[in-house]
Structure formats: C-alpha cells, structure tokens
Amino acid sequence: MVKSGLIDRPHVSHYKLTMHLLLALLIFYLLWRQFLLAVVSKVTCSIRVDGTFIFSVISILIVIQITFGSLVAGLNAGLLYKTLPFLGGKLMLEDLLFMKPLWYNIIDNPVTVQFMHEVMATLILVVIVTALLRLRLNFLSAYLLLICLFIQLTLGILTFIYNVPIVIASLHQVTAFILFAINTYLLHCMKLSKL
C-alpha cells in the first residue's frame, strides 16, 4: 500500500484499503477468539439464553459495515453530500445508481457507498436493540454493546458533520473493532451456555 501512493500523494486504492482493514479485522478476530477460548470459561459466562443466531447475524452486519466504512474512507465519500439520500428535497437516485452495471455502484460510487454505510448503521442499531430487548439480557456485556454502539454512531455522525477530522475518524474506526469484540464475546458466551 505504501508503494502504491503514499510517497507523492496520500491516496491508496479503496480496494487495497478495504483488504488491508479486513485482514486486520481477521487477525484481530483470531487473536481475540483465542484469548476467549483460553480465558473465558463457562463459569465466567452467566448468559442463560440462546441468541447465537442473532449475534452471529450481528457479527456479519458489523463486518459488512466495517467494509463499507473502509470504502467510504478510500473514496473520500464522507466529504460529499451531508443530506443523503436527499438533495434539495428530492431523492438522489440518479447519483446513487448511475454506474453500469448497477453493482459497481456498491463498491465504486462514493454516494452509494456512503448511503449504504448509513443504511447499515441504522440496520445494526435496529437489530441490536431488538435483540437485546427480545433476549432480555441482564448482562454487563449487553449494556456495553449498546453503549459502544451509541458511541460508534455518535462518532460516525461527528466524522461526517465535521468533514472527517482524523482524530474522530480514527476513534470511529477503533470503536468499530471494540463493538465487534464485545459482540464476539457475547457470542462466545452464548455458545458456551449451550454446552
């Protein structure tokens, strides 16, 4: 990645940036999972409900969201429209879906990538709140997941509003990993409770 452009201009292909971040997430997951297997036992996990499926779905949604976040960063999509998907009171479908074939918009169109990042954030919020309400988890990690989610959303909104300041954008990225780690911990505990 450094060879590709950080010498003369601070820009890297959004594909390379995404692959780099996903590789970091995979390494983080493997190390975190190994730690959980070695340290966290059935005794320390007091979850009595089975939410394995829903928390697996949440993990997948978080990985997709992190992927879209890296595409947003790589395409500088956070510097575009501040009123997605509306501009001047009308829906911007012509800006969202102008590339052919249509699926190119999902990875190469900055407007669509930013829109998808916002939609995924809303979806993750709805799924996590619904899961926590339905499962009635009275567990510190469940509350930490919700708190971390709201911090993540707040940092994302501030990053967008203030034209991507590096400090807030970096905190937004770090919080995404923390959110993923908390969810992985909850999932680990739920799998242990089934044994």
Side-chain angles (χ1 to χ4, degrees):
M1 280 179 46
V2 172
K3 188 177 179 183
S4 70
L6 292 179
I7 296 167
D8 298 324
R9 56 190 174 93
H11 178 74
V12 175
S13 162
H14 58 288
Y15 298 122
K16 290 179 182 178
L17 188 65
T18 300
M19 292 309 299
H20 183 75
L21 185 62
L22 289 177
L23 182 60
L25 184 64
L26 175 64
I27 293 168
F28 174 78
Y29 171 75
L30 292 173
L31 292 172
W32 180 242
R33 184 85 172 117
Q34 189 60 38
F35 172 78
L36 291 175
L37 289 170
V39 174
V40 179
S41 67
K42 194 171 184 176
V43 176
T44 57
C45 287
S46 59
I47 297 177
R48 301 284 178 252
V49 295
D50 183 22
T52 306
F53 175 75
I54 191 65
F55 282 95
S56 296
V57 169
I58 292 169
S59 289
I60 292 167
L61 291 175
I62 291 171
V63 170
I64 293 170
Q65 179 67 336
I66 288 171
T67 303
F68 276 113
S70 64
L71 291 171
V72 166
L75 292 168
N76 293 320
L79 300 172
L80 298 175
Y81 303 116
K82 301 294 182 203
T83 57
L84 283 173
F86 299 99
L87 183 61
K90 66 175 187 171
L91 192 62
M92 302 181 318
L93 287 177
E94 64 276 0
D95 288 345
L96 285 173
L97 303 171
F98 75 88
M99 297 176 116
K100 302 291 185 234
L102 283 178
W103 66 270
Y104 276 156
N105 289 288
I106 295 173
I107 55 173
D108 283 327
N109 182 346
V111 177
T112 307
V113 168
Q114 178 64 31
F115 176 72
M116 292 299 295
H117 192 59
E118 291 178 5
V119 168
M120 286 299 298
T122 306
L123 179 63
I124 290 170
L125 173 66
V126 169
V127 171
I128 287 178
V129 169
T130 304
L132 293 178
L133 288 174
R134 289 204 65 212
L135 294 174
R136 293 186 181 104
L137 289 176
N138 191 9
F139 196 59
L140 179 62
S141 295
Y143 296 118
L144 286 175
L145 183 71
L146 196 56
I147 291 167
C148 186
L149 175 65
F150 283 115
I151 291 170
Q152 176 68 356
L153 291 171
T154 303
L155 288 170
I157 291 166
L158 291 174
T159 300
F160 194 53
I161 289 172
Y162 292 112
N163 288 323
V164 195
I166 296 300
V167 172
I168 298 175
S170 298
L171 286 172
H172 183 59
Q173 185 178 22
V174 168
T175 310
F177 273 64
I178 294 169
L179 187 69
F180 181 74
I182 295 169
N183 190 74
T184 303
Y185 172 76
L186 281 166
L187 187 57
H188 175 75
C189 286
M190 286 176 189
K191 286 180 180 177
L192 279 179
S193 70
K194 290 169 65 175
L195 297 176

